[in-house]
Amino acid sequence: MKKKLNVGIIGYGFMGRTHSNAYRRVVNFFDVPYEPVLQVICGLEADKAKAFADQWGYKSHTTDWRKVIEDKTIDVVDICVPNNVHAEIAIAAAKAGKAIVCEKPLALNGAQGKEMVDAVEKAGVANLVSFNYRRVPAVTLAKQLIDEGRLGKIFHYRANFLQDWTISAKVPQGGMATWRLDVKAAGSGVTGDLLAHCIDTAMWHNGPITTVCAMTETFVKERMNVDTGKVEPVGIDDACTFLCRFDNGSLGNFESTRYARGHKALYTFEINGEHASIGWDLQDLHRLNYFDHRDESIVRGWRSIHVTDSDMPYMGKWWVPGLQIGFEHTFVHQTADFLENLAKGKPTSPTFREALATQYVCDAVLTSAKNQKWETVKKR
Ligand SMILES: NC(=O)c1ccc[n+]([C@@H]2O[C@H](COP(=O)([O-])OP(=O)(O)OC[C@H]3O[C@@H](n4cnc5c(N)ncnc54)[C@H](O)[C@@H]3O)[C@@H](O)[C@H]2O)c1
């Protein structure tokens, strides 16, 4: 019999679903030391919380996140709410001694993120930030190939995250559907929402980013705010491009926008090293492109590795070689790793402290764009 672990998820939206799915499925595919129990779901609207509880098999629901924290039976508080609510919930959960999973970005900014790091470290509670793309098997395999030294010295890291859903000036800001466009709820635009993913993966692959030089643009300057009913200035960055230097001497080049017509979620990266290069594309997520200059010249070329064999990261837990998995499985993987480490008293990456490093890069990017000069990234 596995020890039961009672989970309270705050937020029944997009991420509330991916996390609920992960807690439900993880025991079926991974030999984890705990059996997660979906104890309570929390969200702003009672009828929606109840419907979610019924659909996903939660024992109870509430509209008050404080009730989740006060509930002595809850072991894990899982934060799936807009960015401006992360800190308050996480700090209260840490004080109550709960293990915490928090969606990305960690906070609205570095100063707030630091308070969250201090709270979890003072309380000594397990903590994880949901930068889930690390746990796409092909992205994890890229990390393995880099750590094995196959690329040699790394020269370049470039990443893009492109979308096209805010081009119309009629898309409002604020409210529950479009909180990402309201700077008070989101903290920033594409920098914290999309580039944070790219930055987390890049620093995991290639080490710390030390300096940045950025430009941002807000293409639509005013939008209706559904919370106030007034047309208000837009405070988020619609697009961001930045150059950076990594601590290991390599150069970085990152771009994100919600104005790339035709792209819904094009997250790609390419890494160029002395001996080899790696490329990956979220829309072909089970493939890792690899070029090795050491191959015999007559067969040398880019190869497309189908990351489905059982000796590839996480894949031995799923189907048979040749069959693929997708986006939702990244959350199952992070849950499996979290439960495994929780039982051993070990941290799971990225911890709040590791996510703070990403937050500091985001801060430096936004400051650089504002000041139009290179900025040094604060050390975590
Ligand atoms: N890892 C990823 O790939 C990924 C993808 C999308 C979103 N996210 C992150 O997940 C978080 C949530 O995003 P989402 O897309 O799921 O949002 P969403 O709008 O789909 O859902 C937000 C939920 O939060 C609830 N909520 C809001 N304020 C609350 C409060 N004060 N108390 C209780 N509940 C409250 C709402 O009722 C809703 O259920 C954000 O931080 C976002 O950046 C991560």
Side-chain angles (χ1 to χ4, degrees), residues 142-157 205-207 246 248-251 271-278 290-294:
K143 165 78 171 154
Q144 187 183 317
L145 300 183
I146 294 164
D147 288 353
E148 287 169 5
R150 287 175 192 255
L151 275 67
K153 181 174 169 49
I154 290 176
F155 300 121
H156 295 286
Y157 196 108
H205 282 155
N206 196 37
F246 287 83
N248 65 6
S250 58
L251 306 182
I271 314 165
N272 307 125
E274 181 185 3
H275 305 302
S277 291
I278 281 175
Y290 181 76
F291 176 96
D292 198 323
H293 181 69
R294 290 161 297 195

Side-chain angles (χ1 to χ4, degrees), residues 128-308:
L128 166 71
V129 178
S130 177
F131 279 113
N132 56 302
Y133 291 110
R134 285 182 178 208
R135 290 179 166 91
V136 174
V139 176
T140 313
L141 181 62
K143 165 78 171 154
Q144 187 183 317
L145 300 183
I146 294 164
D147 288 353
E148 287 169 5
R150 287 175 192 255
L151 275 67
K153 181 174 169 49
I154 290 176
F155 300 121
H156 295 286
Y157 196 108
R158 64 185 73 83
N160 285 335
F161 207 139
L162 312 180
Q163 299 185 335
D164 72 353
W165 63 281
T166 65
I167 296 175
S168 167
K170 289 186 185 146
V171 176
Q173 57 175 316
M176 262 304 100
T178 45
W179 61 263
R180 279 177 177 76
L181 278 73
D182 179 357
V183 72
K184 292 191 291 302
S188 68
V190 294
T191 300
D193 194 33
L194 304 178
L195 283 174
H197 277 300
C198 307
I199 294 164
D200 172 74
T201 308
M203 293 202 289
W204 185 53
H205 282 155
N206 196 37
I209 291 172
T210 53
T211 53
V212 300
C213 180
M215 61 177 174
T216 58
E217 184 54 75
T218 304
F219 294 115
V220 177
K221 312 281 187 214
E222 291 186 324
R223 291 182 188 272
M224 172 63 74
N225 188 314
V226 295
D227 294 322
T228 64
K230 291 186 191 143
V231 174
E232 292 179 3
V234 174
I236 58 150
D237 43 304
D238 285 338
C240 176
T241 301
F242 76 92
L243 305 175
C244 68
R245 289 185 181 275
F246 287 83
D247 200 33
N248 65 6
S250 58
L251 306 182
N253 187 349
F254 293 73
E255 184 191 9
S256 185
T257 180
R258 294 183 182 135
Y259 288 69
R261 188 59 91 196
H263 293 302
K264 302 300 170 196
L266 185 81
Y267 174 12
T268 55
F269 63 72
E270 187 172 295
I271 314 165
N272 307 125
E274 181 185 3
H275 305 302
S277 291
I278 281 175
W280 177 78
D281 176 349
L282 172 60
Q283 289 171 3
D284 209 5
L285 86 177
H286 48 276
R287 290 196 173 272
L288 191 68
N289 296 316
Y290 181 76
F291 176 96
D292 198 323
H293 181 69
R294 290 161 297 195
D295 290 343
E296 195 187 345
S297 69
I298 55 166
V299 291
R300 190 188 295 145
W302 280 92
R303 68 186 83 156
S304 173
I305 305 167
H306 197 220
V307 186
T308 63

Side-chain angles (χ1 to χ4, degrees), residues 10-16 42-45 63 65 80-83 85-86 103-105 130 132-133 176 179-180 193 197 327 331:
I10 304 172
Y12 50 63
F14 176 20
M15 284 303 110
C42 172
L44 287 179
E45 294 173 60
T63 54
W65 62 261
C80 296
V81 290
N83 309 343
V85 207
H86 291 185
E103 260 307 333
K104 51 54 62 180
S130 177
N132 56 302
Y133 291 110
M176 262 304 100
W179 61 263
R180 279 177 177 76
D193 194 33
H197 277 300
F327 172 73
F331 297 92

Side-chain angles (χ1 to χ4, degrees), residues 26-27 111 175 199 318 362:
V26 68
V27 280
I199 294 164
W318 295 102
C362 292

